[in-house]
Amino acid sequence: MHTGQRNRSVHFSASILVFFMMCLALSSWVATQYFAHALEYQDGLGEPFLYIGQRARIYQPFAWSGWAAQWLNTTGLLSTYVTRMLLVLCTGGLVSLLLGFFLYYRRSLKTEVPDDLHGSARWAVEREVEKMGLISYERCEGPLWKRKRTHRKASGPCIGAFDTPVGRKMMRSSDPVNLLCFAPSRSGKGVGPVVTTLLSYPHSIVTNDIKSENYELTSGFRHSAGSLVIRFDPTSVDQKSMDGKTRYNIAAYWNVLDEIRACTEYDVMDAQNIAQAIADPDGEGMDDHWVSTSYELLVGITLHVKYYERDKSLAGCSTYLADPSFTDPEQMFNRMLNAEHDPEGVMGWKDSMGSPTKTHPQIALAARAMLNKEEKERNSVLSTAKTKLSLYTEPIVARNTSRSDFRVNDLMSHEKPVSLYMVIPPSDKARLRPLIRLFITFLLLRLTSSMAFEEGKSVKEYRHRLLLLIDELASLKKLEQLQDGLSYIAGYGITAFLFVQDRIQLREAYGDNETITAGCQLRIAYAPNTIETAEDISKMTGMMTVKRQSVSYSGNRLGAMLGQMNISEELVERPLLTADEANRLSRDEMLVFNTGYPPIRARKFKYFEMTEFLKRARIASPSRISISYINERNQIACQWFMVSCERNDDSKNLYLTVNTYSNFPAVRLVVKQAHIERETLLEFEYVLCDTTGAPVDRALTLDDLHMIAKPVGEATDFDPKEAFEVHFVVKEIGDYKHFSQTGFYRDMSVFERQARKETRDLFHTFEAKEGKPTEPTIERVVSDGRYVGKVLFQTEHYLAIHRLNDREQVSLHRKSKLNKGGKVGEMVTIQYTGKKGTVC
């Protein structure tokens, strides 16, 4: 940067002088050619230096001077041409002189101080967004002699949209970098980047689904695309089929103790990782004495339960610590000391004296440490450990964590991409936080445990990349493993997409020196709700340099005109986006920050704004079919698959999409349907066929995806438009010990789905007319229920009524179940006796 003179007027400018001389030469040449053209290029003008065509000739630029000297004093038409030639020359010279002075004047206004003195922040343009790999493009690139057409397709997590001259393009993060989104509540992050990413990301995903919204909107498409969908819901309970004989549970089980690699040198490491997550459920550290000592005990307990006790789960650990059969805690620890964890002695364990032992040395160490403590301290440590395990004693959570239907390694190593939804009801979010933290922590530890290298660089050992999409990150408190892992998980094929409401949440959970932001190369910001976050966003956009003009007037203020006006300019700094402007960002706007590039001012994108995404979101979620039995090692084993079903309007065939976790035994199909008029349960036998129509009598394999269910016989009474259930019954169960089967696919009637859609469409009309948001709650009609309200609308098959004091509470009633209908706006009372309703 130069200093000193404010302008450059004192410096010699060769460029202006050269330009002036060129303009004079051009004027001279124009005058010469004008005179030659006027005389029709006669031979008396002399010899030209260039011929163009048969008539046109090009003369030397300064030939006019000789012609003027020769014919200046002539008379007649020739004198007129000479005068015009000189006039053209003088006009050109005058224009050249004026243009030279103008350029010199402009140059004198240019300051030696650079325009980016105080900052060079600006918004990114289309080419820069393309260079970031955030939008797709196709164009010719390279030098003229070897230009080639380049095509790049952006893929990865969805971010938003960017407006270009050819239209709006979706922004997707193509590079394997972590992403962080600052989005306040109700700002559109759920229907925006979350759902659009889940509806388009082709690899494995893990997401915490607080309201089950993500699962309902995206699992159907991901299942149909060949991804193995897993729903882990610790609060899920069994439901029953139409006839009450078959149990159904969409959720899969996961037991962290099944992840311990027993009878290997890794068992203690796995147990310590589990115990640390349990002992420190809120990420506050283990500086507290009781927490650290309970951690040592939990390591020994988890290993002992894994190797020796019958209930090999965290509920089993809690039960062991509170087992009423122990009259004294010393009996518990002596049992750990004397148990044979390796009855065959194949592990080669040795005790402190170097003698062979069948008791696990780590378990013996933990038990002896407890026995060496004073009774009061021992009881306090034991009480602390029980408290840490209290969550897993709740019956529903205990059942859903009693065994494992999948392994953490399956997320990246299964033959199919895996889509894991951790569904957490908002009412249980705080209670289930330790379990979700345990799962995420163990996932990061297990999937980043090793890396292979070949030829001087790392090579991947996984089959599928993994997207870890965590909404409401701050609600999980401090995840130390995640914060540290952001710097290296990309090398293991894992990408984190994190969502928080603002920077305040991050600081509260991770402290003022949090590194979550630094670990995410791409940062997305919506209009903030707090001034602190707005100021942070303003600082992230950077400073720009702008010109500020000052104008002052002087003179007699009683005069008609002021005598003098002074104008001065100076360069000052200004944020590219002030905190106030950040707070006033449009609801449709968002900011994207990418390390090493200017910030991007982009647009939000919602899944229902694109026809293809809306079509994908309407695909029904799959159901889970599973069997459990006791295997040869006397352990509970499970086999399962996910299935979805689509109707065929032209026939009674059903189209199935099947994704198996592993090979599943051969099945026969039974379709159940309640007859609307007779109120009887009908059963129809179906046969499972492949896409060619050939019957499938074999076991279901990982290669199966699209299949067809065809009725055996006429199945005259079966109406595909009514609600039905598809049951998959294992053909041969003779070889299974303690065999149990759960699950079926259930679909509502086409008419009910239409009525529900019409209800929502009607309320959209209300919202447009009244100018205020309104959303219906559609109740399910129950037997022996009583419903009072006004008729809202009616279809061919359904009558919709709403409560008198609450229009949004709507119930749908099947007309064939009622003794009569009703008129729109009419007050009705519907009393059910069983499943039949009386309207009065």
Side-chain angles (χ1 to χ4, degrees):
M1 182 179 67
H2 299 287
T3 59
Q5 298 294 328
R6 174 167 177 76
N7 61 58
R8 304 176 62 189
S9 61
V10 298
H11 297 294
F12 174 76
S13 177
S15 60
I16 294 179
L17 181 60
V18 170
F19 181 80
F20 174 71
M21 298 302 295
M22 290 179 63
C23 288
L24 286 179
L26 180 62
S27 301
S28 177
W29 206 338
V30 170
T32 298
Q33 290 301 127
Y34 164 76
F35 187 77
H37 175 73
L39 296 182
E40 297 182 352
Y41 306 105
Q42 296 182 16
D43 295 336
L45 295 175
E47 188 69 19
F49 78 89
L50 181 64
Y51 290 89
I52 300 179
Q54 296 181 351
R55 300 189 57 184
R57 303 175 186 181
I58 304 299
Y59 294 88
Q60 298 293 339
F62 298 101
W64 63 268
S65 59
W67 299 337
Q70 184 177 359
W71 295 304
L72 181 63
N73 297 322
T74 59
T75 59
L77 188 59
L78 181 61
S79 175
T80 302
Y81 289 152
V82 172
T83 304
R84 291 178 180 178
M85 177 184 66
L86 296 177
L87 184 61
V88 169
L89 179 66
C90 294
T91 303
L94 180 61
V95 171
S96 300
L97 185 63
L98 293 176
L99 187 59
F101 276 113
F102 173 73
L103 293 177
Y104 182 79
Y105 172 74
R106 282 194 57 190
R107 181 173 177 269
S108 68
L109 297 178
K110 291 185 178 179
T111 175
E112 289 188 348
V113 181
D115 292 338
D116 58 354
L117 174 66
H118 299 291
S120 58
R122 58 180 176 79
W123 298 114
V125 297
E126 181 182 1
R127 273 300 182 95
E128 290 169 326
V129 179
E130 291 177 352
K131 189 176 180 181
M132 299 180 205
L134 299 181
I135 59 176
S136 302
Y137 64 90
E138 184 176 358
R139 64 169 179 266
C140 292
E141 293 181 337
L144 293 176
W145 59 90
K146 56 176 182 179
R147 291 181 71 83
K148 61 179 181 180
R149 195 159 196 84
T150 303
H151 174 72
R152 169 147 188 172
K153 184 175 178 61
S155 60
C158 296
I159 300 174
F162 186 78
D163 289 331
T164 68
V166 297
R168 184 166 293 182
K169 292 185 178 181
M170 178 175 290
M171 298 173 60
R172 305 184 68 174
S173 175
S174 302
D175 297 329
V177 297
N178 301 315
L179 301 92
L180 176 63
C181 180
F182 301 100
S185 178
R186 308 304 300 172
S187 61
K189 67 177 182 298
V191 297
V194 174
V195 173
T196 54
T197 295
L198 295 177
L199 287 175
S200 59
Y201 192 74
H203 310 296
S204 294
I205 61 101
V206 172
T207 180
N208 61 326
D209 190 2
I210 296 178
K211 297 180 291 186
S212 188
E213 180 181 11
N214 299 338
Y215 179 83
E216 297 298 334
L217 290 176
T218 66
S219 63
F221 167 74
R222 298 192 67 83
H223 169 75
S224 65
S227 180
L228 183 62
V229 173
I230 301 175
R231 172 171 173 152
F232 177 51
D233 183 357
T235 64
S236 179
V237 296
D238 290 343
Q239 302 177 21
K240 290 187 177 182
S241 59
M242 292 178 178
D243 54 8
K245 297 179 180 179
T246 305
R247 291 184 296 113
Y248 168 80
N249 197 329
I250 187 61
Y253 292 8
W254 182 70
N255 178 12
V256 68
L257 264 62
D258 288 337
E259 302 284 354
I260 296 178
R261 291 166 284 189
C263 299
T264 69
E265 57 186 348
Y266 302 107
D267 58 351
V268 176
M269 177 176 66
D270 293 339
Q272 287 178 341
N273 289 333
I274 295 171
Q276 183 175 8
I278 296 174
D280 186 21
D282 294 327
E284 297 176 351
M286 293 196 296
D287 296 333
D288 184 81
H289 170 72
W290 305 115
V291 173
S292 59
T293 50
S294 66
Y295 159 75
E296 298 174 1
L297 174 61
L298 288 171
V299 173
I301 290 296
T302 53
L303 285 171
H304 174 72
V305 169
K306 174 68 177 179
Y307 277 101
Y308 193 77
E309 299 298 331
R310 181 185 61 84
D311 186 358
K312 303 179 186 301
S313 66
L314 291 180
C317 293
S318 182
T319 301
Y320 182 79
L321 291 176
D323 194 339
S325 63
F326 298 127
T327 58
D328 188 273
E330 292 185 2
Q331 295 180 359
M332 177 197 311
F333 302 121
N334 284 325
R335 179 169 174 170
M336 295 169 62
L337 280 172
N338 299 324
E340 292 186 353
H341 303 108
D342 181 20
E344 305 298 330
V346 297
M347 293 300 297
W349 290 329
K350 294 184 178 181
D351 59 17
S352 59
M353 303 299 294
S355 302
T357 180
K358 296 181 180 180
T359 302
H360 198 298
Q362 187 70 30
I363 299 175
L365 184 66
R368 177 53 60 187
M370 291 299 295
L371 288 172
N372 290 339
K373 297 182 184 295
E374 295 183 359
E375 181 180 0
K376 185 175 181 180
E377 183 181 6
R378 182 168 61 233
N379 291 339
S380 297
V381 174
L382 191 61
S383 176
T384 302
K386 290 179 182 178
T387 302
K388 302 296 183 182
L389 292 170
S390 60
L391 168 64
Y392 309 100
T393 61
E394 193 269 312
I396 299 176
V397 175
R399 183 175 67 250
N400 287 304
T401 57
S402 61
R403 69 166 193 266
S404 290
D405 293 336
F406 65 95
R407 295 287 192 273
V408 168
N409 279 335
D410 295 331
L411 299 172
M412 302 183 72
S413 300
H414 197 274
E415 292 191 24
K416 298 180 178 181
V418 175
S419 302
L420 176 62
Y421 298 82
M422 296 181 290
V423 178
I424 310 145
S427 57
D428 296 299
K429 184 171 64 174
R431 183 174 69 94
L432 296 175
R433 181 190 301 134
L435 178 56
I436 303 304
R437 287 174 51 87
L438 171 63
F439 183 87
I440 295 176
T441 300
F442 192 85
L443 177 152
L444 292 171
L445 291 170
R446 175 57 57 85
L447 297 182
T448 59
S449 59
S450 63
M451 180 179 289
F453 291 86
E454 291 181 9
E455 300 179 355
K457 61 180 181 180
S458 62
V459 294
K460 73 172 190 176
E461 295 184 305
Y462 52 86
R463 290 182 175 176
H464 313 285
R465 293 192 59 84
L466 176 66
L467 176 66
L468 184 60
L469 194 153
I470 303 180
D471 193 7
E472 298 293 343
L473 173 66
S475 66
L476 297 176
K477 300 298 183 181
K478 186 177 182 180
L479 278 168
E480 191 72 36
Q481 191 61 42
L482 176 63
Q483 181 174 231
D484 295 341
L486 289 177
S487 60
Y488 59 79
I489 59 175
Y492 293 89
I494 304 175
T495 300
F497 198 174
L498 312 176
F499 293 83
V500 296
Q501 292 193 14
D502 50 35
R503 290 289 296 274
I504 299 176
Q505 277 194 333
L506 271 183
R507 294 192 184 104
E508 287 181 352
Y510 292 87
D512 293 335
N513 297 322
E514 57 89 11
T515 58
I516 294 289
T517 306
C520 297
Q521 179 174 324
L522 270 176
R523 297 169 298 280
I524 307 164
Y526 289 2
N529 284 343
T530 61
I531 188 62
E532 292 86 353
T533 304
E535 290 173 351
D536 288 339
I537 293 175
S538 177
K539 293 177 182 178
M540 290 168 64
T541 59
M543 304 297 294
M544 62 184 297
T545 302
V546 297
K547 289 183 179 180
R548 184 174 65 182
Q549 189 179 79
S550 299
V551 181
S552 62
Y553 301 91
S554 61
N556 187 354
R557 70 180 190 178
L558 297 179
M561 298 179 59
L562 296 178
Q564 187 176 5
M565 179 178 65
N566 294 323
I567 302 176
S568 63
E569 288 183 350
E570 62 175 334
L571 299 180
V572 296
E573 66 177 8
R574 180 195 186 279
L576 181 62
L577 189 76
T578 65
D580 176 64
E581 291 169 339
N583 272 327
R584 291 186 286 107
L585 276 175
S586 168
R587 295 284 294 178
D588 295 329
E589 281 190 297
M590 57 184 287
L591 306 178
V592 180
F593 303 92
N594 192 1
T595 303
Y597 295 95
I600 305 170
R601 196 157 187 169
R603 295 285 178 180
K604 296 180 184 178
F605 185 84
K606 303 174 181 63
Y607 77 92
F608 48 78
E609 294 176 344
M610 186 172 179
T611 304
E612 180 61 27
F613 279 163
L614 185 58
K615 179 181 176 182
R616 294 178 181 183
R618 287 172 176 168
I619 301 176
S621 301
S623 297
R624 184 169 177 270
I625 314 297
S626 67
I627 60 173
S628 59
Y629 54 91
I630 303 297
N631 60 18
E632 61 276 2
R633 293 184 294 178
N634 204 32
Q635 297 176 343
I636 298 178
C638 181
Q639 293 174 270
W640 56 275
F641 66 91
M642 302 296 289
V643 61
S644 62
C645 179
E646 293 182 16
R647 294 176 168 89
N648 186 345
D649 295 336
D650 299 328
S651 71
K652 297 185 179 182
N653 295 343
L654 303 174
Y655 292 99
L656 307 178
T657 302
V658 174
N659 278 304
T660 62
Y661 177 74
S662 59
N663 289 352
F664 195 87
V667 296
R668 62 184 181 88
L669 271 59
V670 176
V671 176
K672 299 181 179 182
Q673 187 176 66
H675 196 282
I676 298 298
E677 301 298 334
R678 300 196 298 265
E679 293 191 2
T680 57
L681 184 65
L682 306 177
E683 293 189 6
F684 307 93
E685 184 179 353
Y686 268 64
V687 61
L688 190 63
C689 304
D690 59 22
T691 53
T692 65
V696 177
D697 296 326
R698 54 171 174 78
L700 301 178
T701 67
L702 293 169
D703 296 328
D704 292 323
L705 183 60
H706 299 294
M707 311 187 84
I708 303 174
K710 295 183 177 181
V712 177
E714 295 294 330
T716 307
D717 291 335
F718 177 64
D719 187 352
K721 293 186 177 181
E722 296 292 350
F724 63 85
E725 295 175 351
V726 182
H727 293 252
F728 299 78
V729 183
V730 175
K731 290 183 177 181
E732 298 180 3
I733 61 175
D735 297 335
Y736 294 101
K737 183 179 179 182
H738 295 287
F739 177 86
S740 175
Q741 180 172 353
T742 62
F744 52 86
Y745 181 84
R746 174 185 290 166
D747 201 352
M748 71 172 62
S749 72
V750 173
F751 310 119
E752 182 180 356
R753 184 175 285 113
Q754 291 174 346
R756 297 172 74 90
K757 181 180 183 301
E758 187 167 335
T759 302
R760 293 189 174 91
D761 291 343
L762 181 60
F763 273 81
H764 289 159
T765 304
F766 293 157
E767 184 173 329
K769 288 182 178 179
E770 299 170 2
K772 62 179 182 179
T774 175
E775 185 176 358
T777 299
I778 304 176
E779 302 179 57
R780 289 190 177 274
V781 174
V782 298
S783 300
D784 300 320
R786 183 174 180 271
Y787 301 87
V788 180
K790 284 187 177 182
V791 178
L792 186 62
F793 70 90
Q794 56 181 325
T795 65
E796 182 181 354
H797 297 87
Y798 275 88
L799 181 74
I801 69 171
H802 66 86
R803 294 182 184 177
L804 294 179
N805 57 348
D806 190 353
R807 186 182 62 182
E808 295 185 352
Q809 297 298 319
V810 180
S811 57
L812 299 177
H813 305 265
R814 189 67 183 257
K815 285 185 175 181
S816 58
K817 304 277 187 185
L818 306 176
N819 64 330
K820 64 177 182 178
K823 297 180 180 180
V824 175
E826 182 182 9
M827 173 72 178
V828 297
T829 299
I830 303 178
Q831 178 65 55
Y832 281 88
T833 303
K835 294 183 179 180
K836 288 289 186 178
T838 302
V839 180
C840 57

